[in-house]
Amino acid sequence: KAGVTQTPRYLIKTRGQQVTLSCSPISGHRSVSWYQQTPGQGLQFLFEYFSETQRNKGNFPGRFSGRQFSNSRSEMNVSTLELGDSALYLCASGNSGGNYGYTFGSGTRLTVV
Amino acid sequence: GEDVEQSLFLSVREGDSSVINCTYTDSSSTYLYWYKQEPGAGLQLLTYIFSNMDMKQDQRLTVLLNKKDKHLSLRIADTQTGDSAIYFCAETLSGGSYIPTFGRGTSLIVHP
């Protein structure tokens, strides 16, 4: 079956702009989580969506938001970009409980200049 | 707390066994996981172990869990150059959201 698809793979944005990243989970998976990965902070949890509702949220400012559509595809948006938002953004999909582990996409590499 | 700690680097010779270690602080961990990340890629789930198990074996991979010491290890037998990657330990907590907390990752370097 197809894996988790994230688009685009690479993005370069300017400070102050906004960006939208997309994630298509594995067919049948209703949970989609987003992570930010940086060399300094490692993997940090942003939020999780399940059946179009945000079910869990990490400790990120309100500039980071997301949503999930009825087909389980998810988008995350970052407004007013800062240099420190440069990172690899990873999406993960899972079954309803997620307790058997998540399947990750290849990520979107965001560079803010 | 929810800290998961790993050593940052491990270097082994091809054909040897690799042992990657992880410690966690929360005794209510339910599931513990090992993920692998190759350059330019996302994380790949290698294996997981439920907290009431001591050991799990899957081909070249052996996971050992010591709940008393809150210590998890991943042993890779007959390590190959293709095993060079970053390995992440992660835990989820009972009564929680099943959102895993990840360690910082151990970079495994396999040299000939």
Side-chain angles (χ1 to χ4, degrees), chain A residues 11-35:
Chain A
L11 266 178
I12 300 176
K13 289 286 188 179
T14 306
R15 271 183 303 175
Q17 287 187 311
Q18 74 163 16
V19 67
T20 299
L21 312 181
S22 178
C23 172
S24 293
I26 287 175
S27 177
H29 282 187
R30 293 159 65 190
S31 167
V32 175
S33 298
W34 289 89
Y35 286 81

PDB file of all heavy atoms in Angstrom, chain A residues 11-35:
ATOM      1  N   LEU A  11      11.115  23.631   0.520  1.00  0.00           N
ATOM      2  CA  LEU A  11      10.514  24.958   0.434  1.00  0.00           C
ATOM      3  C   LEU A  11      11.524  25.979   0.931  1.00  0.00           C
ATOM      4  O   LEU A  11      12.183  25.749   1.955  1.00  0.00           O
ATOM      5  CB  LEU A  11       9.283  25.043   1.334  1.00  0.00           C
ATOM      6  CG  LEU A  11       7.898  24.772   0.768  1.00  0.00           C
ATOM      7  CD1 LEU A  11       6.870  24.879   1.874  1.00  0.00           C
ATOM      8  CD2 LEU A  11       7.581  25.739  -0.358  1.00  0.00           C
ATOM      9  N   ILE A  12      11.593  27.086   0.239  1.00  0.00           N
ATOM     10  CA  ILE A  12      12.370  28.221   0.740  1.00  0.00           C
ATOM     11  C   ILE A  12      11.420  29.397   0.841  1.00  0.00           C
ATOM     12  O   ILE A  12      10.758  29.752  -0.147  1.00  0.00           O
ATOM     13  CB  ILE A  12      13.555  28.555  -0.184  1.00  0.00           C
ATOM     14  CG1 ILE A  12      14.496  27.358  -0.292  1.00  0.00           C
ATOM     15  CG2 ILE A  12      14.299  29.781   0.341  1.00  0.00           C
ATOM     16  CD1 ILE A  12      15.648  27.565  -1.264  1.00  0.00           C
ATOM     17  N   LYS A  13      11.351  29.981   2.017  1.00  0.00           N
ATOM     18  CA  LYS A  13      10.453  31.112   2.257  1.00  0.00           C
ATOM     19  C   LYS A  13      11.236  32.237   2.922  1.00  0.00           C
ATOM     20  O   LYS A  13      12.301  32.034   3.501  1.00  0.00           O
ATOM     21  CB  LYS A  13       9.290  30.680   3.160  1.00  0.00           C
ATOM     22  CG  LYS A  13       8.299  29.751   2.489  1.00  0.00           C
ATOM     23  CD  LYS A  13       7.444  30.495   1.506  1.00  0.00           C
ATOM     24  CE  LYS A  13       6.326  29.635   0.972  1.00  0.00           C
ATOM     25  NZ  LYS A  13       5.470  30.386   0.023  1.00  0.00           N
ATOM     26  N   THR A  14      10.636  33.407   2.867  1.00  0.00           N
ATOM     27  CA  THR A  14      11.234  34.596   3.473  1.00  0.00           C
ATOM     28  C   THR A  14      10.577  34.862   4.817  1.00  0.00           C
ATOM     29  O   THR A  14       9.376  34.570   4.995  1.00  0.00           O
ATOM     30  CB  THR A  14      11.058  35.804   2.530  1.00  0.00           C
ATOM     31  OG1 THR A  14      11.591  35.466   1.246  1.00  0.00           O
ATOM     32  CG2 THR A  14      11.758  37.030   3.067  1.00  0.00           C
ATOM     33  N   ARG A  15      11.332  35.398   5.723  1.00  0.00           N
ATOM     34  CA  ARG A  15      10.789  35.797   7.025  1.00  0.00           C
ATOM     35  C   ARG A  15       9.515  36.620   6.848  1.00  0.00           C
ATOM     36  O   ARG A  15       9.443  37.507   5.996  1.00  0.00           O
ATOM     37  CB  ARG A  15      11.802  36.638   7.801  1.00  0.00           C
ATOM     38  CG  ARG A  15      12.746  35.847   8.660  1.00  0.00           C
ATOM     39  CD  ARG A  15      13.653  36.755   9.426  1.00  0.00           C
ATOM     40  NE  ARG A  15      14.407  37.643   8.550  1.00  0.00           N
ATOM     41  CZ  ARG A  15      15.209  38.595   8.983  1.00  0.00           C
ATOM     42  NH1 ARG A  15      15.362  38.802  10.279  1.00  0.00           N
ATOM     43  NH2 ARG A  15      15.874  39.353   8.152  1.00  0.00           N
ATOM     44  N   GLY A  16       8.513  36.311   7.659  1.00  0.00           N
ATOM     45  CA  GLY A  16       7.270  37.055   7.618  1.00  0.00           C
ATOM     46  C   GLY A  16       6.211  36.424   6.716  1.00  0.00           C
ATOM     47  O   GLY A  16       5.015  36.726   6.862  1.00  0.00           O
ATOM     48  N   GLN A  17       6.643  35.568   5.810  1.00  0.00           N
ATOM     49  CA  GLN A  17       5.675  34.903   4.938  1.00  0.00           C
ATOM     50  C   GLN A  17       4.970  33.788   5.696  1.00  0.00           C
ATOM     51  O   GLN A  17       5.283  33.478   6.842  1.00  0.00           O
ATOM     52  CB  GLN A  17       6.383  34.310   3.712  1.00  0.00           C
ATOM     53  CG  GLN A  17       6.831  35.320   2.694  1.00  0.00           C
ATOM     54  CD  GLN A  17       7.377  34.654   1.436  1.00  0.00           C
ATOM     55  OE1 GLN A  17       8.202  33.747   1.510  1.00  0.00           O
ATOM     56  NE2 GLN A  17       6.901  35.100   0.277  1.00  0.00           N
ATOM     57  N   GLN A  18       3.997  33.188   5.043  1.00  0.00           N
ATOM     58  CA  GLN A  18       3.349  32.019   5.612  1.00  0.00           C
ATOM     59  C   GLN A  18       3.541  30.828   4.668  1.00  0.00           C
ATOM     60  O   GLN A  18       3.879  31.008   3.487  1.00  0.00           O
ATOM     61  CB  GLN A  18       1.858  32.265   5.857  1.00  0.00           C
ATOM     62  CG  GLN A  18       1.003  32.278   4.611  1.00  0.00           C
ATOM     63  CD  GLN A  18      -0.474  32.100   4.952  1.00  0.00           C
ATOM     64  OE1 GLN A  18      -0.910  32.260   6.090  1.00  0.00           O
ATOM     65  NE2 GLN A  18      -1.263  31.749   3.956  1.00  0.00           N
ATOM     66  N   VAL A  19       3.341  29.634   5.205  1.00  0.00           N
ATOM     67  CA  VAL A  19       3.561  28.441   4.414  1.00  0.00           C
ATOM     68  C   VAL A  19       2.535  27.372   4.792  1.00  0.00           C
ATOM     69  O   VAL A  19       2.075  27.311   5.942  1.00  0.00           O
ATOM     70  CB  VAL A  19       5.000  27.906   4.633  1.00  0.00           C
ATOM     71  CG1 VAL A  19       5.194  27.385   6.065  1.00  0.00           C
ATOM     72  CG2 VAL A  19       5.349  26.833   3.625  1.00  0.00           C
ATOM     73  N   THR A  20       2.151  26.571   3.815  1.00  0.00           N
ATOM     74  CA  THR A  20       1.238  25.450   4.054  1.00  0.00           C
ATOM     75  C   THR A  20       1.887  24.168   3.552  1.00  0.00           C
ATOM     76  O   THR A  20       2.355  24.110   2.413  1.00  0.00           O
ATOM     77  CB  THR A  20      -0.103  25.668   3.330  1.00  0.00           C
ATOM     78  OG1 THR A  20      -0.716  26.856   3.819  1.00  0.00           O
ATOM     79  CG2 THR A  20      -1.036  24.484   3.581  1.00  0.00           C
ATOM     80  N   LEU A  21       1.913  23.182   4.422  1.00  0.00           N
ATOM     81  CA  LEU A  21       2.478  21.880   4.086  1.00  0.00           C
ATOM     82  C   LEU A  21       1.353  20.850   4.062  1.00  0.00           C
ATOM     83  O   LEU A  21       0.395  20.951   4.839  1.00  0.00           O
ATOM     84  CB  LEU A  21       3.522  21.453   5.136  1.00  0.00           C
ATOM     85  CG  LEU A  21       4.582  22.491   5.527  1.00  0.00           C
ATOM     86  CD1 LEU A  21       5.547  21.899   6.537  1.00  0.00           C
ATOM     87  CD2 LEU A  21       5.297  23.018   4.323  1.00  0.00           C
ATOM     88  N   SER A  22       1.503  19.846   3.211  1.00  0.00           N
ATOM     89  CA  SER A  22       0.441  18.869   3.045  1.00  0.00           C
ATOM     90  C   SER A  22       0.919  17.463   3.357  1.00  0.00           C
ATOM     91  O   SER A  22       2.079  17.126   3.147  1.00  0.00           O
ATOM     92  CB  SER A  22      -0.084  18.936   1.606  1.00  0.00           C
ATOM     93  OG  SER A  22      -1.087  17.963   1.388  1.00  0.00           O
ATOM     94  N   CYS A  23      -0.009  16.657   3.857  1.00  0.00           N
ATOM     95  CA  CYS A  23       0.298  15.268   4.213  1.00  0.00           C
ATOM     96  C   CYS A  23      -0.880  14.375   3.858  1.00  0.00           C
ATOM     97  O   CYS A  23      -2.010  14.633   4.288  1.00  0.00           O
ATOM     98  CB  CYS A  23       0.592  15.178   5.708  1.00  0.00           C
ATOM     99  SG  CYS A  23       0.763  13.480   6.322  1.00  0.00           S
ATOM    100  N   SER A  24      -0.620  13.326   3.106  1.00  0.00           N
ATOM    101  CA  SER A  24      -1.646  12.322   2.830  1.00  0.00           C
ATOM    102  C   SER A  24      -1.263  11.041   3.565  1.00  0.00           C
ATOM    103  O   SER A  24      -0.215  10.454   3.284  1.00  0.00           O
ATOM    104  CB  SER A  24      -1.739  12.046   1.330  1.00  0.00           C
ATOM    105  OG  SER A  24      -2.228  13.184   0.651  1.00  0.00           O
ATOM    106  N   PRO A  25      -2.094  10.612   4.513  1.00  0.00           N
ATOM    107  CA  PRO A  25      -1.737   9.434   5.318  1.00  0.00           C
ATOM    108  C   PRO A  25      -1.955   8.142   4.549  1.00  0.00           C
ATOM    109  O   PRO A  25      -2.497   8.144   3.440  1.00  0.00           O
ATOM    110  CB  PRO A  25      -2.696   9.537   6.507  1.00  0.00           C
ATOM    111  CG  PRO A  25      -3.896  10.217   5.941  1.00  0.00           C
ATOM    112  CD  PRO A  25      -3.371  11.179   4.917  1.00  0.00           C
ATOM    113  N   ILE A  26      -1.572   7.064   5.157  1.00  0.00           N
ATOM    114  CA  ILE A  26      -1.835   5.740   4.610  1.00  0.00           C
ATOM    115  C   ILE A  26      -3.338   5.527   4.587  1.00  0.00           C
ATOM    116  O   ILE A  26      -4.051   5.912   5.525  1.00  0.00           O
ATOM    117  CB  ILE A  26      -1.137   4.668   5.460  1.00  0.00           C
ATOM    118  CG1 ILE A  26       0.372   4.714   5.209  1.00  0.00           C
ATOM    119  CG2 ILE A  26      -1.679   3.270   5.174  1.00  0.00           C
ATOM    120  CD1 ILE A  26       1.171   3.778   6.071  1.00  0.00           C
ATOM    121  N   SER A  27      -3.811   4.920   3.513  1.00  0.00           N
ATOM    122  CA  SER A  27      -5.238   4.685   3.374  1.00  0.00           C
ATOM    123  C   SER A  27      -5.769   3.904   4.580  1.00  0.00           C
ATOM    124  O   SER A  27      -5.209   2.874   4.970  1.00  0.00           O
ATOM    125  CB  SER A  27      -5.484   3.899   2.087  1.00  0.00           C
ATOM    126  OG  SER A  27      -6.858   3.597   1.946  1.00  0.00           O
ATOM    127  N   GLY A  28      -6.831   4.429   5.169  1.00  0.00           N
ATOM    128  CA  GLY A  28      -7.426   3.772   6.329  1.00  0.00           C
ATOM    129  C   GLY A  28      -6.949   4.325   7.652  1.00  0.00           C
ATOM    130  O   GLY A  28      -7.583   4.088   8.689  1.00  0.00           O
ATOM    131  N   HIS A  29      -5.837   5.044   7.649  1.00  0.00           N
ATOM    132  CA  HIS A  29      -5.353   5.665   8.890  1.00  0.00           C
ATOM    133  C   HIS A  29      -6.095   6.971   9.116  1.00  0.00           C
ATOM    134  O   HIS A  29      -6.167   7.815   8.226  1.00  0.00           O
ATOM    135  CB  HIS A  29      -3.846   5.930   8.812  1.00  0.00           C
ATOM    136  CG  HIS A  29      -3.010   4.717   9.023  1.00  0.00           C
ATOM    137  ND1 HIS A  29      -1.638   4.772   9.131  1.00  0.00           N
ATOM    138  CD2 HIS A  29      -3.348   3.413   9.171  1.00  0.00           C
ATOM    139  CE1 HIS A  29      -1.164   3.542   9.323  1.00  0.00           C
ATOM    140  NE2 HIS A  29      -2.185   2.707   9.351  1.00  0.00           N
ATOM    141  N   ARG A  30      -6.605   7.151  10.323  1.00  0.00           N
ATOM    142  CA  ARG A  30      -7.353   8.357  10.611  1.00  0.00           C
ATOM    143  C   ARG A  30      -6.595   9.340  11.498  1.00  0.00           C
ATOM    144  O   ARG A  30      -7.020  10.456  11.698  1.00  0.00           O
ATOM    145  CB  ARG A  30      -8.689   7.977  11.251  1.00  0.00           C
ATOM    146  CG  ARG A  30      -9.614   7.229  10.278  1.00  0.00           C
ATOM    147  CD  ARG A  30     -10.675   6.436  11.000  1.00  0.00           C
ATOM    148  NE  ARG A  30     -11.599   7.299  11.725  1.00  0.00           N
ATOM    149  CZ  ARG A  30     -12.509   6.841  12.597  1.00  0.00           C
ATOM    150  NH1 ARG A  30     -12.586   5.557  12.859  1.00  0.00           N
ATOM    151  NH2 ARG A  30     -13.333   7.679  13.202  1.00  0.00           N
ATOM    152  N   SER A  31      -5.469   8.895  12.033  1.00  0.00           N
ATOM    153  CA  SER A  31      -4.659   9.766  12.893  1.00  0.00           C
ATOM    154  C   SER A  31      -3.493  10.311  12.086  1.00  0.00           C
ATOM    155  O   SER A  31      -2.770   9.559  11.427  1.00  0.00           O
ATOM    156  CB  SER A  31      -4.141   8.976  14.090  1.00  0.00           C
ATOM    157  OG  SER A  31      -3.129   9.696  14.767  1.00  0.00           O
ATOM    158  N   VAL A  32      -3.316  11.630  12.141  1.00  0.00           N
ATOM    159  CA  VAL A  32      -2.185  12.278  11.488  1.00  0.00           C
ATOM    160  C   VAL A  32      -1.521  13.189  12.515  1.00  0.00           C
ATOM    161  O   VAL A  32      -2.175  14.038  13.118  1.00  0.00           O
ATOM    162  CB  VAL A  32      -2.616  13.098  10.262  1.00  0.00           C
ATOM    163  CG1 VAL A  32      -1.416  13.857   9.696  1.00  0.00           C
ATOM    164  CG2 VAL A  32      -3.217  12.191   9.200  1.00  0.00           C
ATOM    165  N   SER A  33      -0.219  12.986  12.700  1.00  0.00           N
ATOM    166  CA  SER A  33       0.559  13.817  13.625  1.00  0.00           C
ATOM    167  C   SER A  33       1.626  14.570  12.848  1.00  0.00           C
ATOM    168  O   SER A  33       2.100  14.101  11.811  1.00  0.00           O
ATOM    169  CB  SER A  33       1.247  12.948  14.688  1.00  0.00           C
ATOM    170  OG  SER A  33       0.308  12.257  15.468  1.00  0.00           O
ATOM    171  N   TRP A  34       2.000  15.704  13.397  1.00  0.00           N
ATOM    172  CA  TRP A  34       3.059  16.521  12.795  1.00  0.00           C
ATOM    173  C   TRP A  34       4.173  16.721  13.810  1.00  0.00           C
ATOM    174  O   TRP A  34       3.917  16.964  14.996  1.00  0.00           O
ATOM    175  CB  TRP A  34       2.512  17.881  12.382  1.00  0.00           C
ATOM    176  CG  TRP A  34       1.594  17.844  11.196  1.00  0.00           C
ATOM    177  CD1 TRP A  34       0.240  17.669  11.214  1.00  0.00           C
ATOM    178  CD2 TRP A  34       1.957  18.011   9.823  1.00  0.00           C
ATOM    179  NE1 TRP A  34      -0.258  17.692   9.939  1.00  0.00           N
ATOM    180  CE2 TRP A  34       0.773  17.906   9.060  1.00  0.00           C
ATOM    181  CE3 TRP A  34       3.172  18.221   9.159  1.00  0.00           C
ATOM    182  CZ2 TRP A  34       0.764  18.025   7.672  1.00  0.00           C
ATOM    183  CZ3 TRP A  34       3.169  18.339   7.773  1.00  0.00           C
ATOM    184  CH2 TRP A  34       1.973  18.238   7.048  1.00  0.00           C
ATOM    185  N   TYR A  35       5.407  16.639  13.319  1.00  0.00           N
ATOM    186  CA  TYR A  35       6.591  16.841  14.136  1.00  0.00           C
ATOM    187  C   TYR A  35       7.523  17.823  13.442  1.00  0.00           C
ATOM    188  O   TYR A  35       7.610  17.867  12.212  1.00  0.00           O
ATOM    189  CB  TYR A  35       7.360  15.530  14.354  1.00  0.00           C
ATOM    190  CG  TYR A  35       6.713  14.571  15.306  1.00  0.00           C
ATOM    191  CD1 TYR A  35       5.685  13.736  14.895  1.00  0.00           C
ATOM    192  CD2 TYR A  35       7.140  14.494  16.628  1.00  0.00           C
ATOM    193  CE1 TYR A  35       5.093  12.844  15.776  1.00  0.00           C
ATOM    194  CE2 TYR A  35       6.562  13.606  17.518  1.00  0.00           C
ATOM    195  CZ  TYR A  35       5.538  12.784  17.089  1.00  0.00           C
ATOM    196  OH  TYR A  35       4.958  11.905  17.970  1.00  0.00           O
TER     197      TYR A  35
END
